[in-house]
Amino acid sequence: DMGRGKGKTHTPVYDLANTKGIPVFQPEKVNSKDSIDYMKGYAPDLLVVAAYGHILSREILELGKYGAINVHASLLPKYRGASPIQSAILEGERVTGVTIMRMDAGLDTGDILLQEEIEISPEETGGSLFERLSILGGSLASAAIGDIEGYEESAHKQDESQATFTRLIDKARGRVDFSKSASSIERMIRAFDPWPGAFSYLDGKMIKFWRAAAERDESVEAAHGTIISIDERGIGIAAGDGILFVKELQMEGRKRMGFSEFLRGKPLKAGMSF
């Protein structure tokens, strides 16, 4: 189910399976005896795991003749864990990709069966990168399933010395710290689009930022978070090493809009502070 606790919304996988008459099993507790017994009944050759937020027991991982493989949205061993897509944008990576790995007891530590990279564009958002990696992940998973014996033979271990880790993103992570560099805030705005969104407060009201440009300028002396200019470049806000020009933003309870339209409903001027 999608939405983490916001009621039941079936995934596209569920919907497709339903239309094809394929049974869908959604256990409350995947590692329970009933769940494991149900899966054993299928005597699976291979288990395929994608975007599943629960740790699987060793008993489950060993159910399949060829074990279990995982579709992970990074070039492992970089960006193990829960938020590899956003993290690649946050860190300013030029490339990322998908790894198909053999699952073991660790967190994204298993041997690599298959890996392919894609470029991250300068305008990339968390949402657009998710879409592109989903398509790539599907094709790589299909390839791995089609020749699992071949990929098992050529699998190689991850280089532990190169491993980096990501954590689950919560809403609070979206709050902008204007003492950070303008370029890192600009990346954060893109990484957290569509969720949780990058935000700050002005006069006690939350404002979300959806598009911005960064300019390095060591001569800026205004306090971090202060509006220092409003012109064709956007709403210029003092950041750690220069100016963040916000071009698209959203007042709490309103729609996203370009800065010119936003200013018609909410007059801002130099000297105001987020």
Side-chain angles (χ1 to χ4, degrees):
D1 292 330
M2 297 165 71
R4 294 183 187 273
K6 297 175 188 162
K8 298 244 174 189
T9 310
H10 293 309
T11 66
V13 172
Y14 179 99
D15 291 337
L16 181 65
N18 242 3
T19 63
K20 301 287 186 189
I22 300 167
V24 177
F25 175 57
Q26 296 174 290
E28 288 290 322
K29 294 183 176 169
V30 69
N31 294 313
S32 69
K33 184 180 185 302
D34 287 349
S35 167
I36 292 168
D37 286 347
Y38 181 90
M39 287 187 265
K40 272 183 182 168
Y42 281 95
D45 287 326
L46 178 70
L47 276 68
V48 181
V49 179
Y52 192 64
H54 299 278
I55 301 294
L56 300 178
S57 67
R58 185 174 289 281
E59 194 174 357
I60 289 177
L61 296 181
E62 292 174 355
L63 275 179
K65 177 180 168 187
Y66 297 103
I69 61 172
N70 179 241
V71 185
H72 187 77
S74 81
L75 299 172
L76 289 172
K78 265 191 160 181
Y79 305 120
R80 293 173 176 173
S83 56
I85 296 172
Q86 297 96 327
S87 297
I89 298 173
L90 285 170
E91 296 297 323
E93 296 285 359
R94 301 293 174 86
V95 297
T96 187
V98 170
T99 303
I100 308 294
M101 50 159 266
R102 179 191 291 137
M103 292 181 75
D104 61 17
L107 177 66
D108 301 326
T109 54
D111 294 353
I112 294 170
L113 275 64
L114 189 54
Q115 196 168 67
E116 191 170 319
E117 68 176 42
I118 59 172
E119 284 188 24
I120 297 176
S121 79
E123 295 83 33
E124 201 79 64
T125 65
S128 67
L129 189 54
F130 177 88
E131 290 293 328
R132 295 170 62 215
L133 290 172
S134 297
I135 294 163
L136 177 60
S139 67
L140 289 193
S142 181
I145 294 164
D147 185 16
I148 190 63
E149 288 182 343
Y151 285 113
E152 285 274 344
E153 277 180 28
S154 62
H156 62 278
K157 293 204 175 302
Q158 295 186 38
D159 180 354
E160 288 297 323
S161 71
Q162 299 300 308
T164 61
F165 299 87
T166 69
R167 58 195 171 97
L168 193 65
I169 289 168
D170 59 21
K171 213 164 185 176
R173 287 260 316 265
R175 184 158 190 174
V176 175
D177 175 358
F178 283 101
S179 70
K180 294 193 168 172
S181 73
S183 57
S184 72
I185 299 170
E186 188 275 333
R187 291 197 301 271
M188 175 186 171
I189 290 168
R190 290 188 288 111
F192 290 173
D193 177 353
W195 196 90
F199 65 89
S200 190
Y201 291 90
L202 188 74
D203 301 331
K205 293 271 173 65
M206 181 195 277
I207 294 177
K208 286 191 170 181
F209 308 117
W210 293 112
R211 203 161 55 82
E215 185 176 295
R216 195 176 174 88
D217 184 348
E218 301 289 357
S219 70
V220 174
E221 292 179 354
H224 303 143
T226 305
I227 296 173
I228 57 175
S229 65
I230 297 175
D231 56 31
E232 70 283 351
R233 295 172 296 176
I235 300 164
I237 305 170
D241 66 347
I243 310 169
L244 182 78
F245 291 103
V246 177
K247 297 173 182 291
E248 187 180 336
L249 57 174
Q250 179 180 19
M251 180 67 81
E252 208 170 339
R254 305 288 296 281
K255 65 181 176 69
R256 290 163 68 151
M257 55 185 79
F259 71 96
S260 299
E261 185 186 354
F262 183 90
L263 291 168
R264 286 199 286 275
K266 173 77 175 170
L268 303 179
K269 58 180 188 288
M272 289 181 168
S273 278
F274 284 98

